[in-house]
Amino acid sequence: MGIIPANTQLQTSLQVTTETETIPSHVQLLINTTNSTVIKSVMIFAEGIFNGESHVVHPPSSGISSALSVPIFPPKDVPIDLHVKTFVGYKNSTQYHVFELSRQLPRFTLYVMAPQDTPQPPSFLTFSINERINRLVMWINQNFLLDEEISADTELDLKLIALRTGCPIFLRMVPGTMTIHCEDIDLVGDIVQALAASLNIENLASNANFPDFIEKLKEVLLKVDEYHNVRQKLTAEMADHSNLIRSLVVRAEDARLMNDMNSMKQSYLKLYDLNRDLINGYNIRCNNHAELLSCLKIVNQGIQKAGRLRVGRPKTQVVTSCREAIKQNDIEKLFKIIECGSVLGFYLR
């Protein structure tokens, strides 16, 4: 029926699998029994990675065995609790024993060790940290799903590849100073925030050097200036058209009272053309406004990304100072704040 040996146990493991031609990079949840019993099906409950927050794997009768592999695709770098229910029995069983267990995916799962000849990314973040290297190594082993645990005594030099983007990331630490080399400013910010939360770091200042990010932000700010200029030009044209419309309405009414139908007709034809120009101008203003809001949103996101490179008071100071620089239209000051956390820090560097 459904009786299984009393010593039956389930063993689980997590393994990172790189992308192939048919399937992207993912994490394999490997489940197997410790004897000849088989796994009929598996139900997994988790938030944020499955449609409906659940996933069921039910292999065909010919594929039932004592081991089962379930691919999991974490959408972003957050810790995920997996609640697994496994139906275990024999191939000819009509009833199955349900094993329930929980397994947590670490925050940073889709990362693998990089080849030693991987070039160092030019962008980097450096900050002072009053922690022992052994504690940082412990944090990495707990939060990264690597094939084997890393170790370091006096100096840390870890090279990884982010499988989602293919971006290399180097984590280096000597006593008192840590440096993160990576082109992805979002990923660096995630690491800084996760590290500070785990090590109970309340305030953390840093120096950043992300030339590609700065260049893209500069292009967006140039577009913002262009959209502002276009907006001012369109507003002035609309005011001119409004004044001309009032004048034409008066002329048309005067011509009507004087029974001058030709002049009245000409005035109303000009009013028609002006009205059409106003409608076209309004549509242009709407499109320009939408593009301006989109660029301002990107600028605000860039400021938030720069803030996430710091923790506590330095983070708040960077966000506030960047917004103040935007109000003053001081782009050079904005970039200095993003790099050093403050203008004073730039000049003292």
Side-chain angles (χ1 to χ4, degrees):
M1 295 293 290
I3 301 176
I4 62 175
N7 62 349
T8 303
Q9 295 181 349
L10 277 186
Q11 295 178 341
T12 63
S13 62
L14 297 170
Q15 179 181 334
V16 178
T17 303
T18 56
E19 67 177 352
T20 62
E21 295 180 357
T22 57
I23 187 170
S25 301
H26 59 279
V27 178
Q28 289 277 6
L29 173 62
L30 306 175
I31 307 173
N32 63 278
T33 64
T34 56
N35 48 37
S36 60
T37 54
V38 298
I39 298 175
K40 179 67 175 178
S41 66
V42 172
M43 299 176 63
I44 304 177
F45 300 89
E47 294 183 2
I49 58 176
F50 302 126
N51 292 330
E53 300 184 355
S54 63
H55 182 61
V56 178
V57 179
H58 197 298
S61 300
S62 59
I64 293 177
S65 66
S66 61
L68 187 63
S69 176
V70 182
I72 299 174
F73 303 88
K76 52 186 178 180
D77 294 326
V78 293
I80 299 172
D81 291 324
L82 302 175
H83 303 283
V84 184
K85 294 185 178 182
T86 308
F87 295 76
V88 177
Y90 289 100
K91 288 187 177 181
N92 58 353
S93 297
T94 57
Q95 297 179 350
Y96 295 88
H97 186 85
V98 179
F99 285 85
E100 296 188 15
L101 58 91
S102 296
R103 188 71 190 260
Q104 186 181 66
L105 284 179
R107 180 182 295 273
F108 303 99
T109 51
L110 294 181
Y111 297 84
V112 295
M113 301 293 288
Q116 290 300 316
D117 59 350
T118 302
Q120 176 177 288
S123 300
F124 66 89
L125 179 79
T126 181
F127 53 89
S128 299
I129 180 170
N130 189 24
E131 294 288 346
R132 293 177 288 108
I133 292 181
N134 289 340
R135 202 172 172 202
L136 180 64
V137 168
M138 183 184 302
W139 176 82
I140 292 174
N141 288 328
Q142 291 174 349
N143 288 269
F144 284 83
L145 186 60
L146 303 177
D147 290 338
E148 57 184 22
E149 292 189 350
I150 65 169
S151 60
D153 295 325
T154 59
E155 185 175 339
L156 174 67
D157 187 3
L158 179 63
K159 301 178 181 179
L160 302 172
I161 296 289
L163 295 179
R164 289 192 189 91
T165 60
C167 179
I169 175 170
F170 291 9
L171 301 176
R172 289 182 171 141
M173 182 178 178
V174 295
T177 304
M178 183 172 181
T179 304
I180 304 174
H181 292 266
C182 184
E183 291 298 312
D184 189 345
I185 191 173
D186 292 296
L187 175 56
V188 176
D190 289 342
I191 292 176
V192 169
Q193 296 301 314
L195 180 64
S198 297
L199 301 182
N200 296 321
I201 300 175
E202 296 182 356
N203 297 292
L204 179 66
S206 63
N207 288 328
N209 184 14
F210 290 87
D212 289 344
F213 170 75
I214 293 295
E215 189 62 31
K216 291 178 181 178
L217 189 59
K218 185 181 296 184
E219 293 175 1
V220 173
L221 289 171
L222 290 176
K223 289 183 180 180
V224 169
D225 286 338
E226 292 176 4
Y227 291 135
H228 272 303
N229 293 333
V230 171
R231 182 182 181 184
Q232 292 175 356
K233 181 180 178 181
L234 291 173
T235 301
E237 290 179 355
M238 185 183 68
D240 293 340
H241 285 168
S242 298
N243 293 329
L244 189 54
I245 285 173
R246 284 194 292 267
S247 175
L248 286 173
V249 169
V250 172
R251 289 181 187 178
E253 183 63 17
D254 289 344
R256 186 186 68 81
L257 293 175
M258 296 171 62
N259 203 25
D260 186 354
M261 295 298 111
N262 288 332
S263 296
M264 183 183 73
K265 183 178 179 180
Q266 291 297 323
S267 296
Y268 278 122
L269 287 174
K270 291 180 180 179
L271 277 172
Y272 176 81
D273 293 337
L274 279 174
N275 184 66
R276 183 181 57 195
D277 293 342
L278 278 174
I279 293 174
N280 292 334
Y282 173 77
N283 291 331
I284 294 174
R285 287 184 66 201
C286 287
N287 294 333
N288 181 77
H289 184 67
E291 294 293 337
L292 177 60
L293 289 180
S294 177
C295 289
L296 291 176
K297 182 178 179 181
I298 294 174
V299 172
N300 185 62
Q301 290 174 345
I303 293 174
Q304 295 298 329
K305 292 176 181 179
R308 284 178 56 80
L309 302 178
R310 288 89 182 176
V311 178
R313 288 193 301 273
K315 177 181 179 180
T316 304
Q317 180 183 358
V318 165
V319 173
T320 303
S321 300
C322 285
R323 289 176 176 169
E324 186 65 28
I326 291 291
K327 290 181 181 178
Q328 298 172 359
N329 198 26
D330 192 339
I331 306 304
E332 190 65 25
K333 179 180 177 182
L334 172 67
F335 295 151
K336 292 174 182 177
I337 294 170
I338 291 176
E339 291 179 1
C340 305
S342 66
V343 179
L344 179 61
F346 177 82
Y347 290 115
L348 294 178
R349 187 173 58 177

